[in-house]
């Protein structure tokens, strides 16, 4: 029962580099989400997806790209990392609307 | 423009007493609300939810109350225990749309 896994757990990169955070779920949940957690801001939605090949912007999408070619994977790419993208990133999934979200353990990203 | 607001950044409660965490929202279209608990270095974990057709939902020590006219919900924890010390997030959604979280309230349970 793997659930939802994120990789890597920790990542250090430099400004301007491209970095991809991975998210994989084993439940075949339709809905997947990416959030970032920052002090003073709580959890802010970056992108979400209702199904494979369907994605939509959240509250803070600028500087991020997502794809969902397979139901179980929802990678988040920072095309050119900036220091302001230093954060803890959480992936989440759920089966249907009106269901709870299941979160991964998070990826702590530092952009130097 | 914050759609889900948790106006108390922190709250301290004596062990055994009731903890009340509050949440306000601005979007009257929200019809499903959730509370999550988060420990450091872990992902948030689900506590309890409520749909807009109800005004109360209970699960063990946790009760969520929804006041639609005031656009307010609250989470009651009775009795509070040391393991309840964590950050609590309120969240809201409209059907199959995005789920928006508040900034969180850090709860400290005092011995």
């Amino acid at each position: 029962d793997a659930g939802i896994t994120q990789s890597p757990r920790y990542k250090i990169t430099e400004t301007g580099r491209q970095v991809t955070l991975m998210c994989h779920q084993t439940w075949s949940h339709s809905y997947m989400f990416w959030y970032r957690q920052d002090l003073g801001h709580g959890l802010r939605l970056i992108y979400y997806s209702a199904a494979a090949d369907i994605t939509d912007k959240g509250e803070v999408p600028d500087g991020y790209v997502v794809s969902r070619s397979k139901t179980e994977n929802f990678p988040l790419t920072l095309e050119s990392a900036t220091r302001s993208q230093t954060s803890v990133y959480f992936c989440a999934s759920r089966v249907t609307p009106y269901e709870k979200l299941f979160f991964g353990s998070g990826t702590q990203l530092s952009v130097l | 423009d914050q759609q889900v607001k948790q106006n108390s950044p922190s709250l301290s409660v004596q062990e055994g007493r009731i903890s009340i965490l509050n949440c306000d929202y601005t979007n009257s279209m929200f019809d499903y609300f959730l509370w999550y608990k988060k420990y450091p270095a872990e992902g948030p974990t689900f506590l309890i939810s409520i749909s807009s057709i109800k005004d109360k939902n209970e699960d063990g020590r946790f009760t969520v109350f929804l006041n639609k006219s005031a656009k307010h919900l609250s989470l009651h924890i009775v009795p509070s225990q040391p393991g309840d010390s964590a950050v609590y997030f309120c969240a809201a959604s409209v059907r199959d749309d995005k789920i928006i979280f508040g900034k969180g309230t850090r709860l400290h349970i005092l011995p």
Side-chain angles (χ1 to χ4, degrees):
Chain A
D1 178 84
I4 184 165
T5 54
Q6 293 183 236
S7 60
R9 189 80 170 91
Y10 303 94
K11 176 73 178 178
I12 299 173
T13 191
E14 296 175 339
T15 55
R17 296 216 180 223
Q18 181 180 82
V19 60
T20 296
L21 310 184
M22 304 302 292
C23 179
H24 174 78
Q25 49 107 353
T26 59
W27 297 305
S28 298
H29 286 176
S30 295
Y31 294 82
M32 296 189 76
F33 303 79
W34 274 107
Y35 290 89
R36 58 178 289 176
Q37 184 190 10
D38 304 287
L39 212 61
H41 292 281
L43 289 163
R44 291 182 292 175
L45 180 64
I46 305 170
Y47 269 97
Y48 64 110
S49 169
D53 297 322
I54 300 174
T55 61
D56 209 344
K57 294 179 180 180
E59 301 168 275
V60 289
D62 293 343
Y64 302 95
V65 174
V66 292
S67 61
R68 186 118 182 256
S69 56
K70 290 185 177 182
T71 300
E72 60 267 30
N73 296 324
F74 192 37
L76 176 73
T77 298
L78 288 67
E79 294 188 300
S80 178
T82 65
R83 288 200 181 92
S84 65
Q85 292 177 310
T86 292
S87 186
V88 181
Y89 291 84
F90 290 100
C91 179
S93 71
R94 69 174 176 179
V95 181
T96 60
Y98 305 120
E99 291 283 339
K100 63 187 179 185
L101 280 179
F102 293 87
F103 279 86
S105 299
T107 294
Q108 190 169 314
L109 176 68
S110 297
V111 182
L112 307 179
Chain B
D1 180 27
Q2 239 187 311
Q3 296 189 66
V4 178
K5 301 178 185 179
Q6 294 178 258
N7 293 319
S8 300
S10 68
L11 175 68
S12 294
V13 174
Q14 209 76 34
E15 183 180 350
R17 301 281 187 122
I18 182 171
S19 295
I20 300 176
L21 295 99
N22 294 303
C23 179
D24 297 297
Y25 60 95
T26 57
N27 188 346
S28 57
M29 298 298 292
F30 284 144
D31 60 359
Y32 186 57
F33 304 88
L34 311 95
W35 283 95
Y36 278 78
K37 174 180 179 177
K38 187 183 179 306
Y39 292 121
E42 295 182 10
T45 54
F46 172 77
L47 273 177
I48 193 168
S49 63
I50 188 167
S51 92
S52 59
I53 62 172
K54 294 185 173 183
D55 53 20
K56 178 182 174 181
N57 189 26
E58 279 182 270
D59 185 1
R61 295 187 299 116
F62 303 94
T63 303
V64 56
F65 295 91
L66 176 62
N67 181 334
K68 289 184 287 294
S69 60
K71 296 193 183 70
H72 177 83
L73 64 156
S74 60
L75 174 69
H76 293 210
I77 306 173
V78 184
S80 299
Q81 298 175 353
D84 295 331
S85 292
V87 177
Y88 289 79
F89 290 100
C90 169
S93 72
V94 178
R95 198 165 160 72
D96 60 348
D97 204 0
K98 54 197 172 215
I99 300 177
I100 302 297
F101 282 77
K103 292 185 177 183
T105 296
R106 184 175 297 278
L107 177 64
H108 300 271
I109 304 302
L110 307 171

